[in-house]
Amino acid sequence: MPRRNEPYPLSQSQARRIWLRAQRLDTPAPFGEGPAATAAAVEHLGYVQIDTINVIERCHHHILYSRIPAYRRADLRQAQSVDKSVFEYWTHALSYVPSRDFRYFMPLMREHRREGHRWYASVKPADTRKVMRLIKAGPLTIRDIEDDVLTEKEHLWHSRKPSKHALELAFYVGALAVSERNGMLKTYELMTRHFGWDKPPKAASATEVSAYRLDRALRSQGLVSLDSICHLDAPSKPAVRRIIEARVRKKELLPVALDGAGRQEHWVRPEVLEAGGEGAGPIVHILSPFDPLVIQRKRTELIFGYGHKFEAYVPKAKRVFGYFALPVLVDDEIVAALDLRADRQNRKLLMQKWNWVGHGKAARGDGRQQLKRRIEEELQRFEKFQLADENAEESPLRT
């Protein structure tokens, strides 16, 4: 045991066990099944990232499938549009977040309302008035607005429709909610009408938002650092650190010295260390590159010894893992990265490239063959999920 006030020493294998348990990737079906399982998974993880790439199933469905083996795409639609237990907003990226957490996002909405949004500085007040006038008659999509005068794109991924920019700005300031998605086509609705509010919830204070960020990370990561709590949000670090220091003084958090982390500080709740426990059971997960276990690349490399490379925007000749490589978790090790593509027309899951990494690369003979067999068994199940006809996406593959 360490001396009083010294950080608790933690090995990478212990860190992996803590993180996998927090991410609910160490046991099968930790949330059950059905729409309630989807809501429970989003609430536990704190967010599920949304992304447009459709080479295989979109990442929000994929992330949920990794924790809900019986997941159906309709379950997320039910949670968003009927039960309204989740809603869309910005975390470190556009994400599904629990509706119970809405008040913690209101300060950012108010900031955008007060100071504007740097992505939508060119939106004209007349365009905003137009879309708000139209949406008062009922929910609409950008396809319902046909009288736009198209403009030049300000960015490669921007739309030429002024009304689309106005809808998105109204979403970020909290006036509109995304009430439904069909593929990546969003239906917008008045926020208050979507949730049935007479008045919105009370906004969280700045201190409450900082505590929320810390608690969300502790729940879904188990072992936290300032970087992992404040991912892509460096300005929030000083306020979060103050709360961490207060909790350490109260012994609600313990500092740990993670092997290989150098001077980077980490903390855990005491009960996490006390729980101990065995490593992950016999599980195999083919993960999305946007999965919370992988999205913080430096953290994944520190704890798993695996540096994921997202190469969709890398020139083909310079790719190592492939266009859309998926990390493969076997028990508590990332052992491979598979570049897959769903050929929906011919109903096949195509293997573009198989890369062994980490323990998988070091394995030889029967060990390598056993790993390959287990991954191939999971690929069969993964293919069935990928090619299910339910709520098929409308957008073409990006290749």
Side-chain angles (χ1 to χ4, degrees), residues 259-276:
D259 186 28
R263 298 179 65 180
Q264 186 182 41
E265 299 170 284
H266 288 81
W267 299 270
V268 296
R269 288 183 171 132
E271 57 268 28
V272 169
L273 290 180
E274 292 166 3

Side-chain angles (χ1 to χ4, degrees), residues 62 65-66 69 283-287 328-330 338 349 371-385:
H62 187 169
Y65 163 82
S66 294
I283 52 103
V284 179
H285 289 298
I286 299 168
L287 298 172
V328 181
L329 178 72
V330 177
L338 309 182
L349 188 62
L371 281 176
K372 193 170 190 293
R373 176 184 56 78
R374 292 179 65 187
I375 294 170
E376 287 174 341
E377 288 174 357
E378 177 58 23
L379 276 168
Q380 293 178 15
R381 193 175 74 87
F382 191 64
E383 183 177 54
K384 291 178 182 178
F385 167 69

Side-chain angles (χ1 to χ4, degrees), residues 58-329:
R58 299 195 195 275
C59 72
H60 39 286
H61 294 307
H62 187 169
I63 291 166
L64 290 166
Y65 163 82
S66 294
R67 293 155 178 85
I68 308 170
Y71 172 74
R72 299 172 65 251
R73 296 158 185 83
D75 295 340
L76 181 57
R77 188 165 62 250
Q78 170 88 17
Q80 178 176 23
S81 303
V82 181
D83 301 338
K84 299 171 186 176
S85 55
V86 303
F87 76 104
E88 295 185 25
Y89 203 65
W90 190 265
T91 55
H92 71 281
L94 188 61
S95 302
Y96 288 102
V97 291
S99 295
R100 70 178 186 186
D101 295 345
F102 187 90
R103 62 188 297 261
Y104 299 107
F105 294 87
M106 291 177 69
L108 183 57
M109 295 174 184
R110 289 180 175 179
E111 179 183 322
H112 290 321
R113 198 176 309 142
R114 183 177 64 250
E115 301 179 9
H117 193 299
R118 60 188 176 91
W119 295 346
Y120 302 103
S122 63
V123 172
K124 297 177 181 178
D127 292 325
T128 298
R129 289 194 295 270
K130 169 187 170 181
V131 299
M132 294 303 293
R133 183 178 67 250
L134 290 172
I135 210 164
K136 285 179 180 178
L140 56 78
T141 74
I142 187 58
R143 293 180 184 174
D144 298 321
I145 303 175
E146 299 177 343
D147 61 346
D148 269 342
V149 176
L150 301 185
T151 61
E152 292 299 318
K153 287 189 177 186
E154 297 176 8
H155 190 282
L156 180 63
W157 295 310
H158 274 197
S159 171
R160 296 180 62 204
K161 289 189 171 185
S163 292
K164 187 171 190 297
H165 297 175
L167 285 168
E168 290 172 348
L169 177 60
F171 164 79
Y172 279 107
V173 303
L176 301 182
V178 176
S179 60
E180 184 180 1
R181 273 185 183 263
N182 289 298
M184 295 305 288
L185 179 66
K186 294 176 280 191
T187 298
Y188 290 93
E189 171 64 293
L190 294 172
M191 184 75 76
T192 52
R193 195 162 64 194
H194 173 68
F195 283 111
W197 293 331
D198 292 327
K199 61 179 182 178
K202 181 182 177 182
S205 68
T207 299
E208 288 174 326
V209 171
S210 297
Y212 163 73
R213 287 179 175 140
L214 172 58
D215 290 331
R216 181 177 66 185
L218 287 166
R219 183 180 66 246
S220 62
Q221 298 173 13
L223 170 74
V224 301
S225 67
L226 273 178
D227 284 342
S228 75
I229 299 163
C230 307
H231 181 51
L232 299 183
D233 186 16
S236 67
K237 287 182 178 181
V240 171
R241 175 178 277 282
R242 286 193 292 272
I243 296 174
I244 290 172
E245 290 171 347
R247 293 191 188 182
V248 169
R249 287 194 296 271
K250 295 176 183 177
K251 296 186 170 42
E252 295 172 358
L253 287 180
L254 295 176
V256 296
L258 175 58
D259 186 28
R263 298 179 65 180
Q264 186 182 41
E265 299 170 284
H266 288 81
W267 299 270
V268 296
R269 288 183 171 132
E271 57 268 28
V272 169
L273 290 180
E274 292 166 3
E278 300 298 323
I283 52 103
V284 179
H285 289 298
I286 299 168
L287 298 172
S288 166
F290 301 105
D291 193 279
L293 194 78
V294 187
I295 195 61
Q296 297 192 34
R297 310 300 190 204
K298 291 181 179 179
R299 176 179 166 92
T300 306
E301 187 164 11
L302 170 63
I303 296 178
F304 282 91
Y306 165 70
H308 185 73
K309 295 179 175 64
F310 183 68
E311 299 176 332
Y313 305 115
V314 174
K316 186 174 182 179
K318 295 183 178 180
R319 292 174 192 157
V320 176
F321 291 152
Y323 180 84
F324 200 71
L326 312 180
V328 181
L329 178 72

